[in-house]
Amino acid sequence: MAEGKQLRSFVEVGRDSHFPIQNLPFGVFRRRGATEPPRPAVAIGDFALDLAAVSDAGLFNGPLLAGSACFRQETLNMFLALGRPAWKEARATLQRILAADEPVLRDNEASRKKCLVPMSDIEMLLPIMVGDYTDFFCSVHHARNCGFIFRGPQTPVNPNWFHLPIGYHGRASSVIISGTDIIRPRGQGHPIGDAQPYFGPSKKLDFELEMAAIVGPGNELGKPIDINDAEEHIFGLVVMNDWSARDIQAWESMPLGPFLGKSFSTTVSPWIVTMDALKPFACDAPKQEPEPLPYLAEKNHVNYDIPLEVWIKSKEQSEPSIVTKSNFKHLYWTLTQQLAHHTVNGCNLRPGDMFATGTLSGPVWTPFGISISSCTC
Amino acid sequence: MAEGKQLRSFVEVGRDSHFPIQNLPFGVFRRRGATEPPRPAVAIGDFALDLAAVSDAGLFNGPLLAGSACFRQETLNMFLALGRPAWKEARATLQRILAADEPVLRDNEASRKKCLVPMSDIEMLLPIMVGDYTDFFCSVHHARNCGFIFRGPQTPVNPNWFHLPIGYHGRASSVIISGTDIIRPRGQGHPIGDAQPYFGPSKKLDFELEMAAIVGPGNELGKPIDINDAEEHIFGLVVMNDWSARDIQAWESMPLGPFLGKSFSTTVSPWIVTMDALKPFACDAPKQEPEPLPYLAEKNHVNYDIPLEVWIKSKEQSEPSIVTKSNFKHLYWTLTQQLAHHTVNGCNLRPGDMFATGTLSGPVWTPFGISISSCTC
């Protein structure tokens, strides 16, 4: 059975669906109105394939997953901890049992009904227990735009930026999934003259288009992950909106960086697209100048060609309009460089940790509102 | 039975012990060499009182804790989630069964041997699963010292500092307990001239004396905790060493704040001293000028009189020498103000979260090396 474009599922998948058999992103769902605990799934067409049910049916029969309890959990953390060999085994099993020429589910109505749940019958949940969440600042175009806006054309980017992936710790407790309502944060803004600072609902609520990596096995405290092993620790990617209250952020950030201007909510997509599914979209990452220090120099310096757009529909609009257009491939510091840098001081990563790219701006200052409306710094 | 100085335990407690019956700090331990899972305890004299054993013996017989599984856990998180009424009930029960005039343990050798474990037979573990860890910057003397050093005598403290408790997110995964070896972090430092940045083991490893609060019930996302309810969410305090690699920190921190210069390890004491035990040491917190905004104005504006010292013994020294002397009472923004500020934007706190005060400097620039060797900013 070929992994590739020609692979087809017996589950009908519309041409515009994000969920063909080549994707199979992982999430966690609950049947609407059901009392059973949440369970892991992959998406296929308009269905969630219930991995607890697949496991109960004995269909995970590979050496690493047969008998494993990892799909009887309420999050994916146990599965993440198993590492790439188990992830690959799961993917191979799922592509096999979903394939058009495989009868095991296709021709067993009872089993098929247990395993394939229509998406209209489910609600999605945060698929991981996030231990720690880190936000990087790795798009050079975004760094240039921010630098230009805040410090003028002479010194557009801080001198450290080209030597290391700049990052900061974010708030893990307020990571939520797409579709969860955001409550406009209250907080302080710059005072005008000698008055008290502004206090009230943020007047400058903003979005930031990012993607975030979900960490697999991770490392022990004090044992950095080598740059060339880093990809073994990255399970997949989610799309992320790093909601930002610019007025709160501007007043509070000196000297220790963003805090309440960000911590009120961070939205991620409920489905995690695996790095294995993204492989066909790998492309060369931008050449780095100056050459990175040896601990950041990698044999396989790749990004992924993932077109990204942000559309907004305000109350006054009848149709949404596009405000940002970018691509993941513009990332200056790759995911593997971010991960290796994160651990070089001995900091330990754990399964389910999340690290985000920072705002992904494209090379062209488009008329779509990139940068001023979505600037990390 | 009086709670107070005259209360005495049948367990012998030395005059210099930190663990009289008035204290009873909470921790988690494991018997050395035992295969049983870790279990909660309080410290009394030279013993750990095993709370799983106390629970098994049916001695938690109050309305909130009878039958509760909270002391059969490997961390204190479930107990923390129960809130102050349960904490008070536990304290009252424990002070009663340990009192000199109470026979239930005193006169039952079998039960006493099960419950009271000599500290020499145990190892302590991190008592909580830290969800998120926040570090504040709330000592005015420390802020003045840092400002003076980094920005000169004209503008010693940032203008936002007197309006809000400045804070940033720290790394939760690398919080460890006292006695755990620290591995000197590797990382980048400022380049000299046009050279590549320095890379190697930190040459400026430093300590920061702080205390950290352990969060109880917490709040739902989007629902701030009122300043006058904040104390209901603070279980107790630990002493904290915010290890800092100054060279890594100085080079990486612009513009998003501390990251790898801090995330390699943060040490906390294994015993959490409860706010109920600290009550006799409450004192007025410093008067605040300008008056805080209403959401930070509290009826009960208190600190605690806790003298703090740091002693260092280098390889070359035969005896340790004192390098810092301070007191918790100098904190400008109180714990309750920190907590109320942290949630004012809707950010959710969870049981077991931790927030630290920032370096606690005293009002006098002593000859003991405060500030330059222990500066957050």
Side-chain angles (χ1 to χ4, degrees), chain A residues 29-45:
Chain A
F29 77 101
R30 185 161 47 193
R31 281 176 176 78
R32 246 182 257 283
T35 52
E36 67 184 20
R39 37 187 54 202
V42 293
I44 174 83

Side-chain angles (χ1 to χ4, degrees), chain A residues 146-370:
Chain A
C146 288
F148 187 88
I149 294 163
F150 288 104
R151 289 181 304 279
Q154 301 310 315
T155 53
V157 178
N158 268 315
N160 56 6
W161 200 92
F162 289 98
H163 293 285
L164 52 83
I166 298 286
Y168 69 101
H169 305 294
R171 179 82 192 172
S173 70
S174 52
V175 175
I176 53 178
I177 61 160
S178 309
T180 311
D181 282 343
I182 300 298
I183 297 173
R184 186 179 290 268
R186 295 185 309 162
Q188 294 192 27
H190 267 286
I192 297 170
D194 289 340
Q196 282 276 62
Y198 167 79
F199 179 78
S202 169
K203 295 176 178 175
K204 293 189 174 173
L205 188 56
D206 199 3
F207 71 91
E208 288 191 2
L209 168 60
E210 306 196 15
M211 290 193 78
I214 307 300
V215 174
N219 60 312
E220 268 178 63
L221 190 64
K223 297 193 175 166
I225 295 173
D226 185 90
I227 180 84
N228 293 311
D229 298 331
E231 67 172 328
E232 294 307 307
H233 296 272
I234 305 175
F235 174 67
L237 292 179
V238 289
V239 182
M240 192 179 108
N241 183 350
D242 179 21
W243 295 99
S244 301
R246 300 297 172 207
D247 38 4
I248 297 173
Q249 188 185 347
W251 173 233
E252 74 179 356
S253 289
M254 274 302 289
L256 298 176
F259 182 45
L260 300 192
K262 303 272 193 176
S263 66
F264 56 93
S265 282
T266 305
T267 301
V268 296
S269 56
W271 295 108
I272 307 170
V273 177
T274 65
M275 300 318 290
D276 290 322
L278 286 167
K279 229 169 204 161
F281 306 96
C283 58
D284 287 341
K287 191 173 155 35
Q288 294 177 313
E289 181 57 45
E291 220 171 90
L293 284 165
Y295 81 95
L296 291 172
E298 55 189 346
K299 284 184 193 135
N300 196 21
H301 185 56
V302 299
N303 272 344
Y304 297 87
D305 184 357
I306 308 171
L308 297 160
E309 294 176 353
V310 177
W311 294 71
I312 290 182
K313 184 179 164 302
S314 72
K315 250 194 217 167
E316 291 72 30
Q317 288 173 302
S318 59
E319 294 297 325
S321 54
I322 192 168
V323 290
T324 290
K325 215 170 180 171
S326 188
N327 193 306
F328 187 85
K329 72 183 178 190
H330 301 309
L331 207 61
Y332 183 86
W333 294 103
T334 64
L335 294 175
T336 37
Q337 289 179 317
Q338 290 171 34
L339 187 138
H341 181 66
H342 203 318
T343 68
V344 74
N345 69 341
C347 178
N348 53 330
L349 300 179
R350 298 177 294 187
D353 285 354
M354 192 173 105
F355 60 97
T357 54
T359 299
L360 289 158
S361 300
V364 182
W365 188 302
T366 71
F368 298 124
I370 299 170

Side-chain angles (χ1 to χ4, degrees), chain A residues 27-29 36-41 50-60 65-79 82:
Chain A
V28 166
F29 77 101
E36 67 184 20
R39 37 187 54 202
D50 178 337
L51 300 185
V54 171
S55 196
D56 288 346
L59 297 175
F60 284 113
L65 295 173
S68 168
C70 69
F71 295 127
R72 291 192 188 87
Q73 309 296 316
E74 299 189 16
T75 66
L76 291 168
N77 290 55
M78 187 191 277
F79 177 56
L82 296 178

Side-chain angles (χ1 to χ4, degrees), chain B residues 100-308:
Chain B
D101 56 4
E102 168 59 50
V104 67
L105 280 182
R106 187 193 64 194
D107 298 349
N108 182 334
E109 196 185 341
S111 196
R112 206 174 61 230
K113 285 209 162 154
K114 265 194 195 144
C115 293
L116 285 166
V117 190
M119 286 202 185
S120 52
D121 293 350
I122 66 173
E123 55 176 340
M124 298 301 295
L125 300 164
L126 190 66
I128 47 170
M129 196 186 70
V130 182
D132 278 286
Y133 147 51
T134 301
D135 197 11
F136 282 100
F137 177 46
C138 287
S139 155
V140 67
H141 306 295
H142 179 57
R144 286 210 172 103
N145 293 345
C146 288
F148 187 88
I149 293 162
F150 289 104
R151 290 181 303 280
Q154 300 311 315
T155 53
V157 178
N158 268 314
N160 55 5
W161 199 93
F162 289 98
H163 293 284
L164 52 82
I166 297 285
Y168 68 102
H169 305 294
R171 180 82 192 171
S173 69
S174 52
V175 175
I176 54 180
I177 61 160
S178 308
T180 311
D181 282 344
I182 300 298
I183 297 173
R184 186 179 290 267
R186 295 185 307 161
Q188 295 191 28
H190 266 286
I192 297 170
D194 289 339
Q196 282 276 62
Y198 167 78
F199 179 78
S202 169
K203 294 176 177 174
K204 293 190 174 173
L205 189 56
D206 199 3
F207 72 90
E208 287 190 2
L209 168 61
E210 308 195 15
M211 291 193 79
I214 308 299
V215 174
N219 59 312
E220 268 177 63
L221 189 63
K223 297 193 174 165
I225 294 173
D226 186 272
I227 181 83
N228 293 312
D229 297 331
E231 68 173 327
E232 293 307 307
H233 296 272
I234 305 175
F235 175 66
L237 291 179
V238 289
V239 182
M240 192 179 107
N241 182 349
D242 179 21
W243 295 99
S244 302
R246 299 297 172 209
D247 37 5
I248 298 173
Q249 188 185 347
W251 173 233
E252 73 177 357
S253 288
M254 274 302 288
L256 298 176
F259 182 44
L260 300 191
K262 302 273 192 175
S263 66
F264 57 94
S265 283
T266 305
T267 301
V268 297
S269 56
W271 294 108
I272 306 170
V273 177
T274 64
M275 299 318 290
D276 289 322
L278 286 167
K279 228 167 205 162
F281 307 96
C283 59
D284 287 342
K287 190 172 155 37
Q288 295 177 312
E289 182 57 45
E291 221 172 89
L293 283 165
Y295 81 95
L296 291 172
E298 55 189 348
K299 284 183 194 137
N300 195 21
H301 185 56
V302 298
N303 273 344
Y304 297 88
D305 184 357
I306 308 171
L308 295 161

